[in-house]
Amino acid sequence: MTAKTVLHNFIGGESAAPADGRYEDLIDPATGEVFASAPVSGEADVDKAMGAASAAFEKWRNTTPSERQQALLKFADAIEARAGELVKAESQNTGKPLGLTASEELPPAVDQIRFFAGAARLLEGRSAGQYLQGFESYVRREPVGVCAQVTPWNYPLMMAVWKLAPAIAAGNTVVLKPSDTTPVTTVMLAEIAAEFLPPGVLNVVVGDRDTGRALVTHKTPQMVSITGSVRAGMEVASAASADLKRTHLELGGKAPVVVFDDADIAAAAEAIAVGGYFNAGQDCTAATRVLASPRVYSDFVAALAEQAKNTKTGAADDEDVLFGPLNNSRQFERVSGFVDRLPDHAALDAGGVRVGDRGFYYAPTVVSGLKQTDEAVQDEIFGPVITVQQFSDEDEAVAWANGVEYGLASSVWTKDHARAMRMTQRLDFGCVWVNCHIPLVAEMPHGGFKHSGHGKDLSVYGLEDYTRIKHVMHAL
């Protein structure tokens, strides 16, 4: 993308400038410099997008699953063909390493679209039957309608795919608002999709929190889906409740990583460091809250500190870096604030400093000696900071792991099969990994409990979330 590029909304199959002409600068987090401008859309823009989506729904809902599958498969092929262009744009907008974005984000996004293209042909209701003498019943599974969707800045392209693919596969139409700091690839996706989807099926409206509020409170959408912070999710749920809209909330996380004394310390430390530092820790499933048993605690802290010191952050074109900068200045201040406020009983074993004098780079960080009630343990930092606590026994490990308001993801590291089975049952999280952390596949659901929200992304369960159930009964 060239300097001073001007983005637009994408509504009804066409590029559209904001009605009131308002734009905001987009900042390259690797340099802190302006590289483009994007709309700050208002109610008129949202209303226009909702009108386009509503009109398109009347036809799209009646397409066959096969027709929707073919459109999505062509969309996936086009994304794959333009992978280099999308990777470059995603990297400039987020600071992500080019190589890792090309290998770890683009292929899963394409795969997930193809999965939902196939899953569209598998939706079905219960079999027909006479549950009352003389009456035949069956179930119809139908699209919900127009879906309002909001995506975050940590994985702009991938999160857009997680939202739009199941909704469109199920026969809905979409008005999607990307984060105001990272809208570039979402607009590109809409432009690519326009070649294969009828006008109005996928609309993108770019803007700030007020734009998002206008989206959620608009009368048209029957469902609101957001991936974002707990605060944002609560605001969406509150606003949607005023009109009894359905909500689908994938919110924050504070993943516990429980390391028992029989774990392979070196292998676990290496994998957890990758799971904690990938994407600068800006991942709601990041492996950033380690609970270690007494026998391995000291060795594990040392192993993690060594991993941190050998983990590199830097420019997107540097093939040796694991992660790039934090997304924006506010997030940089948030992450550094957590470290600056560490209590006296905590030890800073690695990192805790800014890297370089340009952009929003933060060093891989390890903090040990924390207590369960400490801020850095209880609150989502969303940065490259791994905390380590020492538990006394399995029961305390479970209590501490579950003792936060989040319930999205977790992992257990042990060679004891029985212990692993007990832990997977007792951990109150929507995902539990055993001797690994962070792999995701399109076939398995992703979503949390408690303040991490409700509803599932990915899998057939994610597709079903974008449908409604209708009972039909015939008198015979």
Side-chain angles (χ1 to χ4, degrees), residues 41-356:
S41 300
E43 292 183 1
D45 305 298
V46 171
D47 192 58
K48 181 180 179 181
M50 290 297 176
S54 185
F57 178 64
E58 295 307 311
K59 292 184 178 180
W60 187 248
R61 70 183 300 180
N62 293 319
T63 54
T64 64
S66 175
E67 289 170 327
R68 297 197 294 274
Q69 179 193 44
Q70 289 304 312
L72 286 170
L73 288 175
K74 291 175 182 177
F75 179 35
D77 290 346
I79 292 173
E80 196 169 51
R82 296 178 61 178
E85 181 184 349
L86 285 161
V87 165
K88 185 178 179 181
E90 185 85 336
S91 177
Q92 182 173 36
N93 200 180
T94 63
K96 294 172 182 285
L98 287 163
L100 287 173
T101 304
S103 64
E104 303 298 325
E105 296 192 33
L106 247 295
V110 171
D111 179 65
Q112 287 149 10
I113 294 172
R114 288 173 175 155
F115 169 82
F116 283 116
R121 302 183 70 165
L122 297 177
L123 282 174
E124 58 185 20
R126 294 180 183 273
S127 61
Q130 293 186 45
Y131 302 98
L132 181 65
Q133 201 64 245
F135 296 85
E136 185 85 5
S137 287
Y138 61 91
V139 169
R140 285 181 56 89
R141 188 179 288 277
E142 301 178 337
V144 173
V146 176
C147 296
Q149 301 182 323
V150 180
T151 53
W153 45 253
N154 58 333
Y155 292 101
L157 186 145
M158 189 179 293
M159 292 299 98
V161 166
W162 283 25
K163 295 303 182 197
L164 67 88
I168 291 172
N172 303 285
T173 56
V174 168
V175 179
L176 192 157
K177 190 198 87 66
S179 168
D180 56 341
T181 66
T182 56
V184 176
T185 50
T186 306
V187 174
M188 291 176 67
L189 286 177
E191 292 170 348
I192 294 170
E195 185 177 348
F196 314 106
L197 299 175
V201 172
L202 174 59
N203 308 275
V204 173
V205 178
V206 181
D208 55 16
R209 289 181 183 178
D210 289 338
T211 312
R213 292 187 185 101
L215 202 73
V216 175
T217 57
H218 197 280
K219 195 70 178 176
T220 295
Q222 296 298 301
M223 179 176 177
V224 181
S225 176
I226 178 174
T227 295
S229 68
V230 174
R231 174 202 55 75
M234 287 182 170
E235 286 187 12
V236 165
S238 177
S241 69
D243 201 29
L244 294 180
K245 291 181 173 70
R246 293 174 62 170
T247 57
H248 184 282
L249 311 175
E250 201 276 272
L251 309 178
K254 192 69 179 174
V257 180
V258 186
V259 181
F260 287 97
D261 53 22
D262 61 342
D264 183 325
I265 298 304
E270 181 178 1
I272 291 166
V274 172
Y277 297 138
F278 188 84
N279 201 35
Q282 298 171 127
D283 190 316
C284 47
T285 64
T288 55
R289 183 166 64 104
V290 174
L291 307 173
S293 69
R295 286 178 55 186
V296 300
Y297 174 80
S298 296
D299 289 342
F300 202 73
V301 170
L304 275 178
E306 188 64 22
Q307 287 291 330
K309 292 169 185 175
N310 291 327
T311 298
K312 185 178 177 182
T313 179
D317 58 357
D318 187 338
E319 296 181 357
D320 294 330
V321 304
L322 177 66
F323 63 92
L326 294 168
N327 181 260
N328 54 71
S329 59
R330 293 188 304 273
Q331 187 60 20
F332 183 89
E333 290 167 4
R334 174 179 172 82
V335 172
S336 58
F338 272 98
V339 177
D340 293 343
R341 294 189 301 271
L342 285 172
D344 292 340
H345 56 260
L348 186 60
D349 300 283
V353 295
R354 184 174 195 146
V355 176

Side-chain angles (χ1 to χ4, degrees), residues 406-424:
Y406 305 91
L408 183 58
S410 58
S411 64
V412 180
W413 300 77
T414 180
K415 297 174 183 175
D416 185 329
H417 179 70
R419 174 186 283 156
M421 293 296 289
R422 289 194 304 271
M423 292 295 291
T424 58

Side-chain angles (χ1 to χ4, degrees), residues 5-8 18 22-26 36-41 180 183 206:
T5 296
V6 179
L7 268 69
H8 297 297
R22 288 180 62 208
Y23 289 86
E24 265 190 359
D25 289 337
L26 295 179
S37 61
V40 182
S41 300
D180 56 341
V206 181

